[in-house]
Amino acid sequence: MSIQLKSAAEIGKMRVAGRLAAEVLEMIGAHVEPGVSTGELDRICHRHIVDRQGAIPAPLNYKGFPKSICTSVNHVVCHGIPSDGKILKNGDIINIDITVIKDGYHGDTSKMFFVGTAPEHARRLVRVTRECLLKGIETALPGARLGDIGHVIQRHGESNHYSIVREYCGHGIGRGFHEDPQVLHYGAPGTGIELRPGMTFTIEPMLNAGSRHTRLSAADGWTVTTRDRRLSAQWEHTIAIGEDGCEVLTLREEER
Ligand code: MF3
Ligand code: CO
Ligand code: CO
């Protein structure tokens, strides 16, 4: 494992990329409504990233991924492929995951949206999953260990009677989309590598309403669903460890 510590200049570039990724999520919210297709959401984001931001949508052609964003609806855990045939309906929940490359550096962030009015059980899953991300971020201090982050996420999710997906995790990020280390969303305190200033990585917990087990679509090779077809939620931020805290590089205006 080789963790690339970023210089102040590199973190400056990651701040720009992170800001752009966050801005795409701010922009797309107005378009998430009953009747829109995930294919249309993809086109709107693609145009925004390429034409307005002068940036690159990192998923497009990444290991063969065919679209510019990931759209994961209801029981889709992650890596859902946008499609004109997938029309959002009232009560759906959707994760939109945006990764942009600007000046050689990546920013990666995702958010849950409600389509129209979602049922209370779905809203609760989405809220607790966001709380897991925020607790993970609060724990990401220099001198803490990766296992501390996983532990607080697992404890909060499971104490609310949800399960934590294990097959997919957060990751180092920078010039590479997915760098070392792997950031697990479960674990034991005091284990794993120590966090140091200059580390940049994502935290992106996925929580399931039912069992934690997932299935990878054999048909498209990407779409990950819950095995029991119950709901799943995910939120993601890219962060940088500093000398005495961490900075969220993908913070949205609504979170300030
Ligand atoms: N953005 C996802 C992540 O958080 C990765 C998507 S890879 C893709 O790591 F190919 F599916 F786009
Ligand atoms: Co990520
Ligand atoms: Co992502």
Side-chain angles (χ1 to χ4, degrees):
M1 185 171 70
S2 82
I3 296 176
Q4 327 248 356
L5 295 182
K6 275 75 177 181
S7 67
E10 287 180 291
I11 291 190
K13 292 182 181 179
M14 295 205 54
R15 206 172 273 130
V16 173
R19 175 74 208 120
L20 293 178
E23 195 208 281
V24 178
L25 286 179
E26 291 170 344
M27 177 279 301
I28 200 62
H31 299 275
V32 178
E33 55 178 14
V36 75
S37 71
T38 55
E40 179 66 11
L41 296 177
D42 176 71
R43 277 188 293 279
I44 295 167
C45 290
H46 179 95
R47 278 199 300 270
H48 188 87
I49 294 165
V50 172
D51 298 344
R52 293 186 177 245
Q53 298 185 332
I56 298 166
L60 188 59
N61 302 318
Y62 175 77
K63 298 185 178 177
F65 191 81
K67 297 287 179 177
S68 295
I69 66 174
C70 295
T71 50
S72 301
V73 180
N74 294 341
H75 68 291
V76 177
V77 174
C78 63
H79 303 168
I81 302 174
S83 132
D84 291 342
K86 180 64 187 176
I87 311 286
L88 298 182
K89 62 180 192 306
N90 186 59
D92 284 346
I93 61 171
I94 178 174
N95 175 278
I96 300 182
D97 192 339
I98 304 293
T99 311
V100 306
I101 309 170
K102 182 73 174 181
D103 204 5
Y105 287 83
H106 290 73
D108 187 6
T109 184
S110 79
K111 169 180 173 173
M112 296 299 299
F113 296 88
F114 301 114
V115 182
T117 310
E120 176 55 28
H121 70 95
R123 305 183 82 88
R124 181 174 176 277
L125 171 66
V126 166
R127 172 176 57 79
V128 171
T129 306
R130 177 152 185 274
E131 290 166 357
C132 284
L133 170 60
L134 298 181
K135 285 177 187 289
I137 291 170
E138 283 172 17
T139 307
L141 301 170
R145 292 179 178 272
L146 274 183
D148 299 336
I149 297 176
H151 175 71
V152 297
I153 291 170
Q154 181 177 21
R155 191 183 52 189
H156 189 62
E158 291 180 351
S159 71
N160 280 283
H161 310 290
Y162 296 129
S163 64
I164 313 290
V165 171
R166 301 210 179 185
E167 292 89 343
Y168 304 90
C169 57
H171 48 91
I173 183 168
R175 282 198 173 273
F177 193 163
H178 295 107
E179 300 182 349
D180 287 334
Q182 292 194 49
V183 180
L184 304 184
H185 303 117
Y186 58 92
T191 65
I193 57 149
E194 187 179 323
L195 305 185
R196 294 186 50 196
M199 287 183 180
T200 51
F201 56 87
T202 73
I203 304 177
E204 49 183 299
M206 285 146 271
L207 268 64
N208 294 349
S211 95
R212 68 175 178 82
H213 296 287
T214 64
R215 183 190 303 276
L216 175 62
S217 165
D220 66 30
W222 282 102
T223 308
V224 178
T225 56
T226 55
R227 272 194 182 248
D228 59 14
R229 298 185 70 84
R230 293 182 66 187
L231 292 181
S232 187
Q234 178 178 29
W235 293 80
E236 174 175 26
H237 271 310
T238 297
I239 68 172
I241 305 298
E243 292 295 334
D244 41 33
C246 90
E247 178 182 355
V248 180
L249 302 176
T250 46
L251 205 63
R252 296 182 301 282
E253 209 57 60
E254 67 189 2
E255 299 177 289
R256 285 178 201 282

